Amino acid sequence: MTKFEHIHVVPIGTALGAEIQGVDLSEPLQKETVIEIQKAHAEFGVIFFRDQSLTSQEHLLFARSLGTIDINRFFAPVDGHHEIAEVRKEPTQKFNIGGGWHTDHSYDDSPALGSILLARELPEHGGDTLFASMYAAYDALSDGLKDTLSHLKAVHSSRHVFGPQARLPKDLNNRLQNANDATQDAIHPAVITHPISGRKALYVNPGFTLHFEGWSKEESEPLLSFLYKHASSPEFTCRFHWRKNSIAFWDNRCTWHYALNDYHGELRLMHRITLSGGPLAA
Ligand code: SIN
């Protein structure tokens, strides 16, 4: 495990997740602190900060200290801040955003590095987010299946989730936009090497992966179903209980996440800034 000198890192699970303490994200960060935050992010897959009462401007400055912002074209933006996506569920709405296992932007040729999600308004109970480690999921596979997967690529798409054919439930309409821009399909290795940690991670997900390249959907389905069941095993996951002003910063290259929808009749409002990544390699 990496040694940290500028931040205090408290793991919250065995497979992934750590809380970062001793940092005030409303202040400009020293270069050494940013480097350690990036290391912790790659090592733990998702990192959490508590009690960060940030303005949108401070949220943006923190994001920019870590990389370049990738504006999600499908999420409605926060008023006055087009680079911040709103993840909202009103008391009258039934469907939430992100309510199933997925990794963001795998439908892009250069998938996003990760997102920085800040809790603005929370239900009294519920609304937790689950995370799963694709390092741990990959490590636990047999050598035989690892070898098979090392020869496979998978096709990912945004069309069936955000496109006109997705037939989104009406109460999601005002929260998602640009359905006609959902034209992206991308092909990535089924197992990638993480660009920073150098570790292998399983890179297929139930939200956006369609099938293996050169395989039909029917042929792909049994293996994908096995991998999804395997990768979402409780021992590869952690669960984050939000408090107002908590932040989760996850790495899309080595994790999945799942926003629980168990707080009907209450408001949950989160602000999300997504960071650009790069092409992924086996
Ligand atoms: C998302 O999938 O980006 C939303 C996660 C959450 O609201 O917890």
Side-chain angles (χ1 to χ4, degrees), residues 37-53:
I37 288 174
Q38 287 168 322
K39 280 193 184 146
H41 182 250
E43 184 167 327
F44 290 93
V46 55
I47 53 178
F48 306 103
F49 301 84
R50 295 288 191 188
D51 306 316
Q52 304 288 337
S53 171

Side-chain angles (χ1 to χ4, degrees), residues 196-222:
I196 297 187
S197 70
R199 289 182 67 185
K200 298 265 185 210
L202 185 64
Y203 197 75
V204 288
N205 71 88
F208 299 113
T209 306
L210 295 181
H211 58 87
F212 293 108
E213 186 186 35
W215 295 28
S216 68
K217 281 194 177 170
E218 291 72 22
E219 289 166 341
S220 305
E221 201 276 330

Side-chain angles (χ1 to χ4, degrees), residues 91-155:
T92 51
Q93 292 169 327
K94 193 165 160 219
F95 295 92
N96 70 337
I97 292 175
W101 284 116
H102 65 286
T103 186
D104 302 329
H105 292 230
S106 71
Y107 47 79
D108 286 336
D109 288 330
S110 286
L113 176 159
S115 285
I116 304 163
L117 189 70
L118 168 60
R120 294 290 188 196
E121 298 291 339
L122 292 167
E124 197 171 333
H125 301 290
D128 292 358
T129 306
L130 308 179
F131 295 89
S133 167
M134 295 304 111
Y135 291 144
Y138 173 78
D139 288 346
L141 294 173
S142 66
D143 289 343
L145 187 47
K146 282 180 182 162
D147 184 55
T148 299
L149 291 172
S150 73
H151 302 289
L152 295 180
K153 290 184 173 179
V155 180

Side-chain angles (χ1 to χ4, degrees), residues 75 87 97-98 102 104 117 127-129 242 250 257 259 268 270 272:
F75 286 26
V87 178
I97 292 175
H102 65 286
D104 302 329
L117 189 70
D128 292 358
T129 306
W242 294 91
W250 61 82
H257 55 281
R268 181 177 183 272
M270 320 292 273
R272 193 180 105 173

